[in-house]
Amino acid sequence: MSRTFFVGGNWKMNGSVEQYRSLIKHLVEAKLDEKAEVVISPPALYLLPSKELVANSPIELSAQNAYFKPSGAFTGEISVAQLKDAGIPWVILGHSERRSIFGESDELIAEKTKAALEAGLKVILCVGETLEQREKNESIDVVIRQLETATKGLSSWDNIVIAYEPVWAIGTGKVATEAQAQEVHAAIREWLGKAVDSQTASSVRIIYGGSVAAKNSRQLAEQKDIDGFLVGGASLKPEFVDIVNSRL
Ligand code: 13P
């Protein structure tokens, strides 16, 4: 089955009012592959005003994180229900920076995933191994374990995109080779086939993240099980358009 190519731009904690406006303007005016699904993820502060800027374009918005409780005394957090209410359709969950810097566990990510899907959001669920784990040949085991915990008891995979982001490749300029990425993506798909069913295995998008740039995206996008990208640094640059257009 053919899966829609998906490119996400994770801006992380970058940008200013002036920058987010000009980045989105550039993107909205660019000629983007009509067959690609494009989702950008500015800092939460800029999500609502960004909505107006993407309103007449196919570009969708994502939050970079959310809390699973619907409301209450959780200073500094934004709930999945609030994202839904504000008309933000996507949320990134389980990003390695949330795991390593903010101490998010697989169990917390599972709660967030469940709550986000129940609230009607779509989820970009991130998994990935550290350099140490890769050197010990544990990449696939780690990624499958993260996925297993985060998606336990899930009733539908329709609104999930899996992002494989090896920690050693994030922000380092050290992109995974096509073979390294393809191997893990294929293992994830095989796991989906066994743990869920063959229909899910063939329909869920598995995207790659970690030092994706215009100079490496085409080769990665040719791999059988790489259905797109989650782009960090390069999503803040004009080359993001070339990454979106990797399959043109
Ligand atoms: P870079 O593209 O900057 O390596 O970041 C990847 C990432 O973490 C996307 O979520």
Side-chain angles (χ1 to χ4, degrees):
M1 93 169 279
S2 75
R3 295 176 290 267
T4 302
F5 192 63
F6 182 104
V7 182
N10 176 8
W11 295 6
K12 310 193 178 182
M13 198 177 72
N14 292 300
S16 60
V17 169
E18 193 186 327
Q19 262 179 317
Y20 91 76
R21 286 188 187 140
S22 71
L23 276 167
I24 295 181
K25 184 167 183 287
H26 176 78
L27 211 52
V28 165
E29 287 170 1
K31 196 152 172 26
L32 301 177
D33 181 352
E34 284 169 15
K35 294 209 283 297
E37 186 167 3
V38 182
V39 177
I40 55 167
S41 190
L45 179 64
Y46 306 133
L47 279 172
L48 268 183
S50 296
K51 237 178 99 175
E52 286 167 38
L53 302 181
V54 300
N56 296 314
S57 82
I59 298 161
E60 294 177 288
L61 292 171
S62 174
Q64 297 174 12
N65 181 34
Y67 199 52
F68 64 92
K69 299 272 191 185
S71 63
F74 304 101
T75 302
E77 294 295 313
I78 292 173
S79 75
V80 289
Q82 287 170 324
L83 289 176
K84 182 68 184 168
D85 176 56
I88 307 301
W90 288 90
V91 62
I92 298 173
L93 294 175
H95 192 280
S96 75
E97 287 146 21
R98 297 297 320 168
R99 293 174 189 262
S100 67
I101 305 171
F102 301 101
E104 293 198 5
S105 64
D106 284 333
E107 289 71 25
L108 176 61
I109 295 158
E111 296 237 48
K112 291 181 173 199
T113 304
K114 186 166 171 281
L117 294 171
E118 279 173 2
L121 296 180
K122 295 184 269 192
V123 174
I124 302 169
L125 179 62
C126 305
V127 292
E129 83 285 3
T130 62
L131 183 58
E132 196 188 343
Q133 290 163 333
R134 172 154 286 267
E135 283 170 349
K136 286 199 244 160
N137 268 330
E138 293 173 357
S139 307
I140 290 171
D141 288 350
V142 167
V143 161
I144 300 300
R145 203 166 55 232
Q146 288 173 338
L147 272 176
E148 247 165 11
T149 317
T151 64
K152 213 176 200 133
L154 208 72
S155 54
S156 164
W157 283 74
D158 289 352
N159 289 329
I160 292 197
V161 169
I162 298 172
Y164 168 55
E165 300 206 301
V167 178
W168 49 271
I170 295 177
T172 58
K174 262 195 237 164
V175 65
T177 63
E178 301 95 78
Q180 283 173 324
Q182 167 58 27
E183 185 192 18
V184 178
H185 284 227
I188 293 173
R189 209 174 294 290
E190 194 187 326
W191 172 77
L192 282 171
K194 285 194 212 138
V196 193
D197 55 48
S198 60
Q199 201 276 333
T200 303
S202 67
S203 62
V204 169
R205 268 93 51 91
I206 307 172
I207 62 174
Y208 168 80
S211 297
V212 174
K215 63 174 188 284
N216 56 39
S217 66
R218 278 179 186 272
Q219 274 165 306
L220 285 161
E222 279 171 8
Q223 301 301 306
K224 184 167 152 273
D225 292 295
I226 299 183
D227 305 312
F229 303 111
L230 188 55
V231 186
S235 69
L236 297 158
K237 299 181 188 161
E239 74 179 277
F240 185 63
V241 171
D242 299 321
I243 299 172
V244 169
N245 292 339
S246 294
R247 287 214 173 142
L248 281 184

